[in-house]
Amino acid sequence: AQSVTQLDSQVPVFEEAPVELRCNYSSSVSVYLFWYVQYPNQGLQLLLKYLSGSTLVKGINGFEAEFNKSQTSFHLRKPSVHISDTAEYFCAVKPPTGANNLFFGTGTRLTVIP
Amino acid sequence: EADIYQTPRYLVIGTGKKITLECSQTMGHDKMYWYQQDPGMELHLIHYSYGVNSTEKGDLSSESTVSRIRTEHFPLTLESARPSHTSQYLCASSPGKGGTGELFFGEGSRLTVL
């Protein structure tokens, strides 16, 4: 079975500062990993995904994430945040075969302070 | 650009009413999903479909029902709404074959039952 832990429920950060949103997963098999962003009153939008290959994945809006197999982590980073990055961020996992749905974490609310 | 639409976006109704949340996608995706989202909680899968005339219950037990008569349409129905059904409902879709598990989400339907 897969599970996802997002250690921080809320992360406040000043504008133009760097940010890291943490995600750890547990799985007995290899997984695909995803980060989604949800802006207020909207659905989820894919930020980036890791399927295989390079452990550093670049996504939209200047975000990137690094897959660390030994630590079973997939932390999301951005070197300089903008006010428009204020949103809820969800980490999700899926095994390559078998289950067809994603398993989501509880989300991290990023608030960018002017 | 994902093309998946949910109506209504917001609905406030009284206890005992029957409601249907509509979900349509124009991407020709075989797989469709309904997730329930509550504040501070992970998204929970309540229904999914692999194609026309295929529906399955998800991980979270729900009193709602779904149907898949056409590929593009996956409505969710509550025969008798109760306050415990108050939540945000997110519809999603993904390609049947060759996909990586990435989900494309609608903007959600926020249901409030008084």
Side-chain angles (χ1 to χ4, degrees), chain A residues 37-105:
Chain A
V37 59
Q38 184 178 33
Y39 298 105
N41 300 315
Q42 293 189 25
L44 277 68
Q45 177 184 358
L46 182 70
L47 266 181
L48 48 79
K49 60 187 176 186
Y50 171 79
L51 307 178
S52 65
S54 173
T55 57
L56 183 63
V57 180
K58 293 191 182 298
I60 62 172
N61 301 339
F63 283 93
E64 64 181 31
E66 186 158 19
F67 169 57
N68 187 318
K69 187 175 182 178
S70 63
Q71 296 186 7
T72 60
S73 68
F74 190 54
H75 300 333
L76 181 70
R77 302 186 183 101
K78 186 170 183 178
S80 175
V81 295
H82 190 267
I83 293 292
S84 60
D85 293 324
T86 294
E88 189 92 18
Y89 292 79
F90 291 91
C91 183
V93 303
K94 176 191 175 301
T97 58
N100 286 279
N101 58 296
L102 301 185
F103 295 87
F104 287 87

Side-chain angles (χ1 to χ4, degrees), chain A residues 32 36 38 41 43 49 100, chain B residues 9 31 33 37 50 103 106:
Chain A
Y32 293 158
Y36 280 85
Q38 184 178 33
N41 300 315
K49 60 187 176 186
N100 286 279
Chain B
R9 291 289 315 280
K31 298 177 182 177
Y33 311 81
Q37 182 183 26
Y50 291 162
L103 299 183

Side-chain angles (χ1 to χ4, degrees), chain B residues 61-90:
Chain B
S61 175
S62 174
E63 295 169 342
S64 58
T65 59
V66 292
S67 63
R68 191 86 182 278
I69 299 172
R70 304 196 313 268
T71 298
E72 62 271 22
H73 196 214
F74 192 42
L76 180 147
T77 298
L78 276 167
E79 290 292 333
S80 180
R82 294 204 300 271
S84 60
H85 296 138
T86 294
S87 188
Q88 165 125 293
Y89 294 85
L90 294 172

